[in-house]
Amino acid sequence: MRRMTIDRTARMVGLTLTTALASATLMGCSAKVAPPASVSAVKAEDALAKGKSDKAVSFAESAVLASPRDAGLRELLGAAYIEAGRFESAAATLDEALQLGAASPRTIVSLALAQIASGQQAAALATLDTHETDLDPADFGLAIALAGQPQRGVLVLANQLRFGENSAKVRQNLAYAYALQGDWRAARLMAAEDVPADKVGERMAHWGQMANP
């Protein structure tokens, strides 16, 4: 019995090593034939512009494979994953981009939204809290509301209006935050500041679907 166990263990270890070596060989071959990162990146951006998300993902993955330490290419891949609806992959990739040095507000917000979309509310809140001072309050307020803290989002956005940033972006983000809070009367009144009267009901219905999928 002991001999059989040893033999089985040896076979398992051998199989693991064989698989690892095969994987390493394939990766080595891929590296030799992979196109330059810049070429794949341009193709990925072009595919994104044309709405071809699957092709964008393929090209962006090739770009990252060719230059794995490039934070900008990780950002591009994260954007492609988002367009393809692959939110968990997007969240992981954009988090890697931050670790590699990416620090643009767009990347931070995209990471938080990808985390929200993939059900990682706690991680999204942590991301937003960590980078609050790096973000436009209008973006932070809506993102934090989407992450499950609508009251806080309403406060942030209302303060923006109170302190003089009376823009359509702030007003509509505040209207959406009110909707997420369940204050539909305030949401309708705020939305009506910028949305034509005959379109307000449609906007409310759309927000209702998003708030209660």
Side-chain angles (χ1 to χ4, degrees), residues 71 74-75 78 87-102 107-108 110-112 114-115 120 123 127 131:
R74 297 271 176 173
E75 291 177 299
F87 300 115
E88 289 187 8
S89 296
T93 300
L94 292 169
D95 185 53
E96 290 167 354
L98 286 185
Q99 293 177 33
L100 289 172
T107 299
I108 295 166
S110 294
L111 169 58
Q115 290 170 328
Q120 303 175 60
T127 296
H131 298 282

Side-chain angles (χ1 to χ4, degrees), residues 55-175:
K55 286 188 175 181
V57 166
S58 179
F59 288 130
E61 286 178 337
S62 295
V64 169
L65 180 64
S67 185
R69 301 296 299 174
D70 190 316
L73 295 178
R74 297 271 176 173
E75 291 177 299
L76 177 61
L77 178 56
Y81 280 141
I82 287 175
E83 288 298 315
R86 296 170 59 178
F87 300 115
E88 289 187 8
S89 296
T93 300
L94 292 169
D95 185 53
E96 290 167 354
L98 286 185
Q99 293 177 33
L100 289 172
S104 71
R106 179 178 180 179
T107 299
I108 295 166
V109 171
S110 294
L111 169 58
L113 294 178
Q115 290 170 328
I116 293 167
S118 57
Q120 303 175 60
Q121 268 71 19
L125 288 170
T127 296
L128 292 167
D129 283 334
T130 299
H131 298 282
E132 179 177 0
T133 57
D134 301 321
L135 301 177
D136 178 349
D139 293 329
F140 175 81
L142 180 56
I144 207 75
L146 289 166
Q149 295 185 352
Q151 294 86 354
R152 184 179 174 190
V154 165
L155 179 61
V156 170
L157 292 160
N159 282 339
Q160 283 300 103
L161 282 182
R162 189 175 298 114
F163 296 145
E165 191 177 339
N166 192 7
S167 67
K169 176 181 179 179
V170 173
R171 289 192 298 269
Q172 291 310 300
N173 284 5
L174 177 56

Side-chain angles (χ1 to χ4, degrees), residues 38-65:
S38 58
V39 173
S40 296
V42 169
K43 291 181 178 179
E45 290 170 349
D46 183 60
L48 275 176
K50 294 177 179 177
K52 299 178 179 179
S53 58
D54 289 339
K55 286 188 175 181
V57 166
S58 179
F59 288 130
E61 286 178 337
S62 295
V64 169
L65 180 64

